């Protein structure tokens, strides 16, 4: 059954004081003025005579600065995007904001949600001079029905109003009467327009378009870890960022004390998402990559591992090798007793008693450094027992003095030597005999040879450390001394992490919780995880809830259907994504003429596709394999097309970005030109990884995708889904039988074979 068409939003310019749109604009103007007043009040705070000392003054000043920053009125982020009207004595009233029960100053109630009250839902809380709310924070409990209420479950909401904006100006509104069962349920035109609005600049928030299933994840409790398996375009990254904003709102004091962290795959990705949290009024969450998270000034990354070496170094078995290596220097039995001299007395602790203490500490499996700190205190305690037996009355100060005695220190140094994590890993990767001893029964001889450095380093500073080596150093450091834990960590694109990287992130939230985001089909590293259950075990969060998002809000339906042809080859267990977008998208596959025609036909076709995309509104991403970048760069420059590098912010005058396929993950563009799919696959070490890289590249488009190629497409991409007949005007490439077996949805689009224009 076909759904009725969505109603056109009201767009008549206001001409009278009682015009609903004019009233809403007036409320927006009043709310912005109130926000400016709130910021001015914060800036005017004088703490000179409040703080007891300079430390307290610095803390207060820092808090005030954060408050001022959070109250910034961002021109590109509308202050409110919706309104909720609760039950009224006159449900037929067309404009609840005019009812006498509603606050004249703000259009919102001065009490809890009840009959006749209205609430404006926005990105942050705004109140007037009397403290009455003018805009309710989207994270407040009263705002939840804006995302979850429906005609089946109205949650006491009679009317839900959505607002449309153009360039920061309120230009439209759209109403849903949830209590009116006679009103047909329709797709929101404003919601659809916001989802499909062109992307220029950094990633924006989705607070106005959060769907019920996304809202459940966003508002999940702080105590539990949540893992989100999300197909391309399902908004998993945005959900993770909004979850951070929600948790900072709901658990402000706790997370301010313990800290929050967002971990992304690379710097380009972080630059892309960096404006989302500030737009929601949150400036306290730190953002970093895994590489920067474990970085150490004494272990600079200057080397690159082979794929096999990186895979083995990232294997969870390396944790056991390191544990053995850290403890291998412990010698429980000292060469002689410990004799402590105090004044004229000598106190002797026999070697066998020290051995008992050392073995007990080893059995307790304490961290190496903590156990080493405990050993002198245990020896000192044995000395104090002898003092008491001799009639003395020593106290804690005496025990501390004995623990610092030269003889005790000498014994500790002998039986439990200090360990430097970097030097330990250096020895492990440089000394074949030492590695063989620690890896016996854990790594095979072939695996040991793969991780050993070809040329042993002379020292820590001169070693050519790789990114995987630094993770090993981080693991060793944690075995020596516990890594401090944060309150909450968001880990995005998590499918690409190795087991050892999961452990590194898990150490940062060992006493907190995590939000894990990713897509198994987009795992493009040799060590990419095969299941979230295994990944969560390595993270230290076994049994965490795994949610799956399959409804796409970004990728056009024809594009995601085309890309889903690869799923049987790269992630057969996953459910193919669907798209809720009304528009099927602009999609084409274009093959360049053969080389016999003369000239670089592929380059000309790529340039032509870019020019065509630039004629439309929005950002354009040209994605190419690393091996193709020189040729593509030359073609763009020869054609006079300027382009940006990944991470550089697009603008109205600079909308084309050249993106290596290896950096495309997590990014999105209105229009994507995909250069030579076969080269993207061939650049990877194996077929499955190559097809996964291609899947990522295919799903970066928001409005349109043009696939341009000269070489034959990968076989997995040309396997067509079952269909009765091709749509009119479509020439399918590949020639597969119309009754070919497939569970993928049919792809609509235009498949073009063309000669580039000279």
């Amino acid at each position: 059954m076909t759904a009725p068409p969505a109603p056109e939003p009201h767009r008549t310019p206001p001409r009278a004081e009682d015009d609903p749109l004019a009233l809403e604009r007036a409320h927006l103007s009043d709310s912005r003025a109130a926000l400016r007043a709130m910021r001015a009040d914060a800036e005017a705070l004088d703490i000179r005579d409040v703080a007891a000392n300079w430390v307290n003054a610095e803390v207060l000043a820092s808090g005030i600065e954060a408050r001022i920053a959070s109250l910034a009125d961002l021109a590109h982020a509308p202050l409110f995007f919706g309104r909720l009207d609760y039950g009224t004595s006159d449900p037929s009233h067309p404009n609840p904001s005019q009812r006498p029960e509603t606050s004249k100053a703000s259009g919102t109630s001065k009490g809890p949600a009840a009959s006749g009250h209205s609430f404006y839902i926005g990105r942050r809380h705004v109140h007037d001079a009397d403290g009455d709310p003018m805009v309710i924070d989207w994270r407040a409990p009263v705002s939840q029905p804006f995302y979850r209420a429906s005609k089946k479950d109205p949650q006491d909401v009679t009317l839900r109003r959505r607002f449309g904006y153009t360039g920061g100006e309120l230009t439209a509104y759209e109403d849903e009467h949830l209590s009116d069962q006679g009103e047909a349920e329709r797709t929101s035109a404003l919601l659809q327009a916001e989802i499909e609005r062109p992307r220029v600049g950094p990633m924006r928030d989705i607070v106005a378009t959060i769907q019920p299933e996304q809202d459940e994840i966003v508002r999940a409790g702080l105590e539990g870890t949540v893992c989100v398996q999300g197909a391309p375009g399902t908004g998993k990254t945005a959900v993770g960022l909004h979850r951070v904003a929600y948790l900072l709102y709901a658990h402000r004091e706790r997370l301010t004390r313990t800290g929050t962290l967002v971990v992304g795959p690379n710097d380009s990705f972080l630059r892309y998402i960096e404006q989302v949290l500030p737009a929601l009024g949150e400036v306290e969450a730190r953002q970093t990559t895994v590489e920067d998270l474990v970085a150490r000034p004494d272990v600079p990354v200057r080397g690159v591992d082979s794929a096999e070496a990186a895979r083995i170094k990232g294997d969870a078995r390396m944790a056991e090798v390191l544990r053995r290596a850290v403890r291998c220097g412990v010698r429980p039995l000292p060469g002689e007793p410990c004799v402590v001299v105090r004044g004229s007395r000598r106190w002797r602790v026999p070697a066998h008693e020290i051995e008992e203490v050392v073995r007990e500490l080893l059995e307790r499996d304490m961290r190496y450094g903590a156990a080493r700190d405990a050993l002198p205190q245990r020896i000192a305690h044995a000395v104090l027992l002898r003092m008491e037996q001799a009639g003395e009355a020593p106290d804690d100060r005496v025990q501390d003095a004995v623990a610092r005695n030269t003889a005790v220190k000498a014994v500790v140094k002998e039986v439990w030597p200090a360990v430097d994590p970097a030097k330990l890993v250096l020895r492990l990767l440089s000394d074949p005999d030492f590695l063989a001893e620690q890896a016996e029964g854990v790594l095979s001889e072939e695996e040991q040879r793969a991780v050993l450095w070809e040329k042993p380093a002379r020292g820590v500073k001169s070693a050519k450390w790789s990114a995987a080596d630094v993770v090993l150093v981080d693991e060793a450091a944690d075995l020596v001394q516990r890594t401090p834990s944060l309150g909450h960590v968001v880990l995005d694109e998590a499918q690409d992490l190795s087991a050892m990287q999961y452990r590194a992130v898990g150490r940062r939230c060992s006493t907190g919780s995590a939000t894990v985001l990713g897509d198994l089909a987009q795992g493009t590293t040799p060590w990419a995880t095969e299941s979230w259950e295994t990944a969560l075990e390595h993270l230290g969060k076994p049994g965490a809830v795994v949610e799956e998002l399959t409804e796409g809000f970004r990728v056009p339906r024809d594009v995601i259907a085309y890309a889903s042809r690869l799923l049987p080859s790269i992630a057969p267990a996953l459910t193919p994504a669907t798209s809720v977008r009304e528009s099927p998208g602009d999609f084409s596959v274009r093959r360049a003429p053969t080389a016999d025609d003369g000239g670089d036909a592929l380059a000309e076709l790529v340039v032509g596709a870019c020019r065509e995309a630039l004629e439309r509104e929005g950002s354009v991403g040209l994605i190419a394999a690393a091996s193709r970048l020189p040729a593509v760069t030359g073609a763009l420059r020869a054609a006079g097309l300027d382009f940006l590098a990944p991470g550089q912010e697009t603008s109205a005058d600079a909308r084309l970005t050249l993106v290596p396929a290896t950096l495309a993950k997590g990014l999105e563009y209105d229009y994507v030109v995909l250069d030579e799919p076969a080269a993207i696959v061939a650049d990877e070490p194996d077929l499955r990884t190559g097809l996964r890289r291609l899947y990522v590249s295919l799903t970066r488009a928001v409005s349109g995708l043009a696939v341009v190629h000269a070489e034959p497409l990968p076989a997995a991409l040309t396997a067509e889904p079952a269909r009765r007949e091709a749509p009119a005007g479509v020439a399918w490439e590949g020639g597969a039988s119309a009754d070919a077996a497939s569970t993928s949805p049919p792809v609509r689009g235009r498949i073009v074979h063309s000669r580039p224009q000279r």
Side-chain angles (χ1 to χ4, degrees), residues 524-553:
T524 52
T525 57
W527 50 83
T529 187
E530 295 300 321
S531 75
W532 291 121
E533 289 72 18
T534 301
L536 291 167
E537 286 278 354
H538 295 317
L539 191 68
K541 307 294 181 183
V545 176
V546 179
E547 302 281 359
E548 186 172 11
L549 296 177
T550 58
E551 279 198 331
F553 304 95

mmCIF file of all heavy atoms in Angstrom, residues 524-553:
data_model
loop_
_atom_site.group_PDB
_atom_site.id
_atom_site.type_symbol
_atom_site.label_atom_id
_atom_site.label_comp_id
_atom_site.label_asym_id
_atom_site.label_seq_id
_atom_site.Cartn_x
_atom_site.Cartn_y
_atom_site.Cartn_z
ATOM 1 N N THR A 524 39.292 -3.258 7.267
ATOM 2 C CA THR A 524 40.245 -3.240 6.154
ATOM 3 C C THR A 524 41.692 -3.435 6.586
ATOM 4 O O THR A 524 42.606 -3.112 5.838
ATOM 5 C CB THR A 524 40.118 -1.912 5.391
ATOM 6 O OG1 THR A 524 40.220 -0.827 6.311
ATOM 7 C CG2 THR A 524 38.794 -1.824 4.649
ATOM 8 N N THR A 525 41.903 -3.943 7.783
ATOM 9 C CA THR A 525 43.258 -4.270 8.214
ATOM 10 C C THR A 525 43.419 -5.784 8.236
ATOM 11 O O THR A 525 42.433 -6.508 8.377
ATOM 12 C CB THR A 525 43.531 -3.714 9.627
ATOM 13 O OG1 THR A 525 42.538 -4.234 10.534
ATOM 14 C CG2 THR A 525 43.469 -2.197 9.634
ATOM 15 N N PRO A 526 44.645 -6.293 8.097
ATOM 16 C CA PRO A 526 44.844 -7.750 8.131
ATOM 17 C C PRO A 526 44.390 -8.372 9.443
ATOM 18 O O PRO A 526 44.132 -9.570 9.501
ATOM 19 C CB PRO A 526 46.364 -7.895 7.932
ATOM 20 C CG PRO A 526 46.791 -6.645 7.245
ATOM 21 C CD PRO A 526 45.896 -5.573 7.779
ATOM 22 N N TRP A 527 44.316 -7.551 10.489
ATOM 23 C CA TRP A 527 43.937 -8.066 11.807
ATOM 24 C C TRP A 527 42.511 -7.673 12.194
ATOM 25 O O TRP A 527 42.123 -7.756 13.353
ATOM 26 C CB TRP A 527 44.908 -7.523 12.854
ATOM 27 C CG TRP A 527 45.082 -6.033 12.755
ATOM 28 C CD1 TRP A 527 44.287 -5.071 13.277
ATOM 29 C CD2 TRP A 527 46.119 -5.357 12.045
ATOM 30 N NE1 TRP A 527 44.743 -3.820 12.938
ATOM 31 C CE2 TRP A 527 45.884 -3.970 12.175
ATOM 32 C CE3 TRP A 527 47.229 -5.779 11.306
ATOM 33 C CZ2 TRP A 527 46.707 -3.004 11.608
ATOM 34 C CZ3 TRP A 527 48.051 -4.810 10.727
ATOM 35 C CH2 TRP A 527 47.793 -3.459 10.888
ATOM 36 N N ALA A 528 41.703 -7.215 11.228
ATOM 37 C CA ALA A 528 40.344 -6.759 11.527
ATOM 38 C C ALA A 528 39.565 -7.839 12.265
ATOM 39 O O ALA A 528 39.681 -9.033 11.978
ATOM 40 C CB ALA A 528 39.628 -6.384 10.232
ATOM 41 N N THR A 529 38.747 -7.415 13.223
ATOM 42 C CA THR A 529 38.012 -8.357 14.055
ATOM 43 C C THR A 529 36.935 -9.075 13.250
ATOM 44 O O THR A 529 36.343 -8.517 12.326
ATOM 45 C CB THR A 529 37.376 -7.634 15.257
ATOM 46 O OG1 THR A 529 36.803 -8.592 16.132
ATOM 47 C CG2 THR A 529 36.292 -6.664 14.808
ATOM 48 N N GLU A 530 36.679 -10.311 13.601
ATOM 49 C CA GLU A 530 35.679 -11.119 12.909
ATOM 50 C C GLU A 530 34.348 -11.143 13.655
ATOM 51 O O GLU A 530 33.323 -11.485 13.082
ATOM 52 C CB GLU A 530 36.185 -12.562 12.735
ATOM 53 C CG GLU A 530 37.390 -12.669 11.823
ATOM 54 C CD GLU A 530 37.103 -12.161 10.417
ATOM 55 O OE1 GLU A 530 35.993 -12.408 9.909
ATOM 56 O OE2 GLU A 530 37.975 -11.491 9.833
ATOM 57 N N SER A 531 34.344 -10.807 14.929
ATOM 58 C CA SER A 531 33.092 -10.788 15.691
ATOM 59 C C SER A 531 33.206 -9.780 16.819
ATOM 60 O O SER A 531 34.287 -9.579 17.381
ATOM 61 C CB SER A 531 32.777 -12.173 16.265
ATOM 62 O OG SER A 531 33.612 -12.473 17.372
ATOM 63 N N TRP A 532 32.079 -9.152 17.148
ATOM 64 C CA TRP A 532 32.082 -8.177 18.235
ATOM 65 C C TRP A 532 32.254 -8.848 19.587
ATOM 66 O O TRP A 532 32.798 -8.244 20.519
ATOM 67 C CB TRP A 532 30.800 -7.353 18.200
ATOM 68 C CG TRP A 532 30.727 -6.432 17.026
ATOM 69 C CD1 TRP A 532 29.786 -6.399 16.040
ATOM 70 C CD2 TRP A 532 31.674 -5.398 16.700
ATOM 71 N NE1 TRP A 532 30.085 -5.420 15.120
ATOM 72 C CE2 TRP A 532 31.229 -4.787 15.503
ATOM 73 C CE3 TRP A 532 32.838 -4.935 17.299
ATOM 74 C CZ2 TRP A 532 31.923 -3.731 14.910
ATOM 75 C CZ3 TRP A 532 33.526 -3.886 16.703
ATOM 76 C CH2 TRP A 532 33.070 -3.301 15.531
ATOM 77 N N GLU A 533 31.803 -10.077 19.714
ATOM 78 C CA GLU A 533 31.974 -10.775 20.984
ATOM 79 C C GLU A 533 33.459 -10.928 21.318
ATOM 80 O O GLU A 533 33.885 -10.696 22.457
ATOM 81 C CB GLU A 533 31.294 -12.160 20.931
ATOM 82 C CG GLU A 533 29.781 -12.120 20.926
ATOM 83 C CD GLU A 533 29.193 -11.625 19.601
ATOM 84 O OE1 GLU A 533 29.920 -11.637 18.576
ATOM 85 O OE2 GLU A 533 28.016 -11.214 19.603
ATOM 86 N N THR A 534 34.258 -11.322 20.309
ATOM 87 C CA THR A 534 35.702 -11.455 20.517
ATOM 88 C C THR A 534 36.332 -10.102 20.822
ATOM 89 O O THR A 534 37.174 -9.974 21.716
ATOM 90 C CB THR A 534 36.355 -12.069 19.276
ATOM 91 O OG1 THR A 534 35.775 -13.355 19.017
ATOM 92 C CG2 THR A 534 37.855 -12.228 19.469
ATOM 93 N N ALA A 535 35.917 -9.079 20.075
ATOM 94 C CA ALA A 535 36.471 -7.741 20.285
ATOM 95 C C ALA A 535 36.185 -7.244 21.696
ATOM 96 O O ALA A 535 37.050 -6.670 22.363
ATOM 97 C CB ALA A 535 35.888 -6.774 19.259
ATOM 98 N N LEU A 536 34.965 -7.466 22.174
ATOM 99 C CA LEU A 536 34.588 -6.999 23.511
ATOM 100 C C LEU A 536 35.351 -7.749 24.599
ATOM 101 O O LEU A 536 35.640 -7.194 25.660
ATOM 102 C CB LEU A 536 33.078 -7.158 23.700
ATOM 103 C CG LEU A 536 32.230 -6.199 22.849
ATOM 104 C CD1 LEU A 536 30.765 -6.625 22.855
ATOM 105 C CD2 LEU A 536 32.367 -4.772 23.359
ATOM 106 N N GLU A 537 35.687 -9.011 24.333
ATOM 107 C CA GLU A 537 36.527 -9.762 25.282
ATOM 108 C C GLU A 537 37.887 -9.090 25.411
ATOM 109 O O GLU A 537 38.391 -8.895 26.518
ATOM 110 C CB GLU A 537 36.690 -11.206 24.798
ATOM 111 C CG GLU A 537 35.464 -12.083 24.960
ATOM 112 C CD GLU A 537 35.326 -12.634 26.362
ATOM 113 O OE1 GLU A 537 36.242 -12.436 27.178
ATOM 114 O OE2 GLU A 537 34.284 -13.259 26.645
ATOM 115 N N HIS A 538 38.496 -8.754 24.277
ATOM 116 C CA HIS A 538 39.801 -8.094 24.313
ATOM 117 C C HIS A 538 39.710 -6.715 24.968
ATOM 118 O O HIS A 538 40.661 -6.278 25.628
ATOM 119 C CB HIS A 538 40.357 -7.958 22.895
ATOM 120 C CG HIS A 538 40.655 -9.263 22.228
ATOM 121 N ND1 HIS A 538 41.279 -10.309 22.873
ATOM 122 C CD2 HIS A 538 40.406 -9.698 20.952
ATOM 123 C CE1 HIS A 538 41.411 -11.328 22.042
ATOM 124 N NE2 HIS A 538 40.888 -10.981 20.876
ATOM 125 N N LEU A 539 38.591 -6.042 24.785
ATOM 126 C CA LEU A 539 38.400 -4.716 25.367
ATOM 127 C C LEU A 539 38.225 -4.788 26.877
ATOM 128 O O LEU A 539 38.362 -3.778 27.572
ATOM 129 C CB LEU A 539 37.183 -4.041 24.727
ATOM 130 C CG LEU A 539 36.972 -2.561 25.005
ATOM 131 C CD1 LEU A 539 38.058 -1.724 24.334
ATOM 132 C CD2 LEU A 539 35.599 -2.111 24.527
ATOM 133 N N GLY A 540 37.944 -5.982 27.386
ATOM 134 C CA GLY A 540 37.693 -6.134 28.817
ATOM 135 C C GLY A 540 36.250 -5.878 29.185
ATOM 136 O O GLY A 540 35.936 -5.630 30.360
ATOM 137 N N LYS A 541 35.333 -5.950 28.174
ATOM 138 C CA LYS A 541 33.913 -5.721 28.414
ATOM 139 C C LYS A 541 33.083 -6.889 27.886
ATOM 140 O O LYS A 541 32.177 -6.718 27.077
ATOM 141 C CB LYS A 541 33.462 -4.416 27.735
ATOM 142 C CG LYS A 541 34.289 -3.189 28.091
ATOM 143 C CD LYS A 541 34.131 -2.809 29.561
ATOM 144 C CE LYS A 541 34.937 -1.568 29.890
ATOM 145 N NZ LYS A 541 34.861 -1.215 31.331
ATOM 146 N N PRO A 542 33.351 -8.107 28.341
ATOM 147 C CA PRO A 542 32.577 -9.250 27.839
ATOM 148 C C PRO A 542 31.111 -9.142 28.251
ATOM 149 O O PRO A 542 30.786 -8.618 29.317
ATOM 150 C CB PRO A 542 33.254 -10.455 28.515
ATOM 151 C CG PRO A 542 33.874 -9.889 29.757
ATOM 152 C CD PRO A 542 34.314 -8.497 29.395
ATOM 153 N N GLY A 543 30.243 -9.621 27.395
ATOM 154 C CA GLY A 543 28.820 -9.592 27.714
ATOM 155 C C GLY A 543 28.140 -8.267 27.455
ATOM 156 O O GLY A 543 26.963 -8.096 27.780
ATOM 157 N N ALA A 544 28.845 -7.294 26.850
ATOM 158 C CA ALA A 544 28.228 -6.002 26.554
ATOM 159 C C ALA A 544 27.127 -6.172 25.509
ATOM 160 O O ALA A 544 27.145 -7.093 24.692
ATOM 161 C CB ALA A 544 29.280 -5.016 26.045
ATOM 162 N N VAL A 545 26.155 -5.289 25.548
ATOM 163 C CA VAL A 545 25.036 -5.334 24.611
ATOM 164 C C VAL A 545 25.528 -4.963 23.210
ATOM 165 O O VAL A 545 26.264 -3.995 23.044
ATOM 166 C CB VAL A 545 23.923 -4.358 25.049
ATOM 167 C CG1 VAL A 545 22.801 -4.318 24.021
ATOM 168 C CG2 VAL A 545 23.382 -4.767 26.415
ATOM 169 N N VAL A 546 25.123 -5.743 22.206
ATOM 170 C CA VAL A 546 25.459 -5.450 20.813
ATOM 171 C C VAL A 546 24.175 -5.080 20.085
ATOM 172 O O VAL A 546 23.253 -5.891 19.976
ATOM 173 C CB VAL A 546 26.138 -6.648 20.122
ATOM 174 C CG1 VAL A 546 26.463 -6.317 18.667
ATOM 175 C CG2 VAL A 546 27.404 -7.051 20.867
ATOM 176 N N GLU A 547 24.107 -3.842 19.602
ATOM 177 C CA GLU A 547 22.952 -3.360 18.854
ATOM 178 C C GLU A 547 23.332 -3.279 17.378
ATOM 179 O O GLU A 547 24.459 -2.949 17.037
ATOM 180 C CB GLU A 547 22.530 -1.964 19.340
ATOM 181 C CG GLU A 547 22.183 -1.892 20.815
ATOM 182 C CD GLU A 547 20.796 -2.405 21.115
ATOM 183 O OE1 GLU A 547 20.093 -2.804 20.156
ATOM 184 O OE2 GLU A 547 20.411 -2.409 22.298
ATOM 185 N N GLU A 548 22.365 -3.580 16.491
ATOM 186 C CA GLU A 548 22.624 -3.515 15.059
ATOM 187 C C GLU A 548 21.720 -2.475 14.416
ATOM 188 O O GLU A 548 20.498 -2.518 14.576
ATOM 189 C CB GLU A 548 22.410 -4.875 14.391
ATOM 190 C CG GLU A 548 22.806 -4.872 12.910
ATOM 191 C CD GLU A 548 22.784 -6.257 12.280
ATOM 192 O OE1 GLU A 548 22.260 -7.178 12.937
ATOM 193 O OE2 GLU A 548 23.269 -6.412 11.152
ATOM 194 N N LEU A 549 22.334 -1.525 13.714
ATOM 195 C CA LEU A 549 21.598 -0.516 12.959
ATOM 196 C C LEU A 549 21.667 -0.877 11.483
ATOM 197 O O LEU A 549 22.755 -1.003 10.921
ATOM 198 C CB LEU A 549 22.204 0.874 13.182
ATOM 199 C CG LEU A 549 22.150 1.435 14.608
ATOM 200 C CD1 LEU A 549 22.862 2.776 14.668
ATOM 201 C CD2 LEU A 549 20.713 1.576 15.090
ATOM 202 N N THR A 550 20.521 -1.052 10.846
ATOM 203 C CA THR A 550 20.492 -1.446 9.429
ATOM 204 C C THR A 550 19.730 -0.455 8.568
ATOM 205 O O THR A 550 19.750 -0.574 7.346
ATOM 206 C CB THR A 550 19.853 -2.839 9.266
ATOM 207 O OG1 THR A 550 18.522 -2.820 9.805
ATOM 208 C CG2 THR A 550 20.670 -3.903 9.983
ATOM 209 N N GLU A 551 19.053 0.519 9.173
ATOM 210 C CA GLU A 551 18.336 1.526 8.400
ATOM 211 C C GLU A 551 19.256 2.708 8.120
ATOM 212 O O GLU A 551 19.705 3.374 9.051
ATOM 213 C CB GLU A 551 17.081 1.996 9.127
ATOM 214 C CG GLU A 551 15.902 1.062 8.969
ATOM 215 C CD GLU A 551 14.604 1.748 9.325
ATOM 216 O OE1 GLU A 551 14.620 2.670 10.155
ATOM 217 O OE2 GLU A 551 13.556 1.347 8.780
ATOM 218 N N GLY A 552 19.523 2.931 6.854
ATOM 219 C CA GLY A 552 20.431 4.002 6.486
ATOM 220 C C GLY A 552 19.710 5.323 6.317
ATOM 221 O O GLY A 552 18.603 5.379 5.794
ATOM 222 N N PHE A 553 20.375 6.403 6.748
ATOM 223 C CA PHE A 553 19.823 7.742 6.607
ATOM 224 C C PHE A 553 20.706 8.615 5.716
ATOM 225 O O PHE A 553 20.354 9.742 5.439
ATOM 226 C CB PHE A 553 19.690 8.403 7.985
ATOM 227 C CG PHE A 553 18.877 7.596 8.944
ATOM 228 C CD1 PHE A 553 19.493 6.730 9.834
ATOM 229 C CD2 PHE A 553 17.503 7.678 8.942
ATOM 230 C CE1 PHE A 553 18.743 5.971 10.710
ATOM 231 C CE2 PHE A 553 16.742 6.921 9.812
ATOM 232 C CZ PHE A 553 17.364 6.065 10.702
#
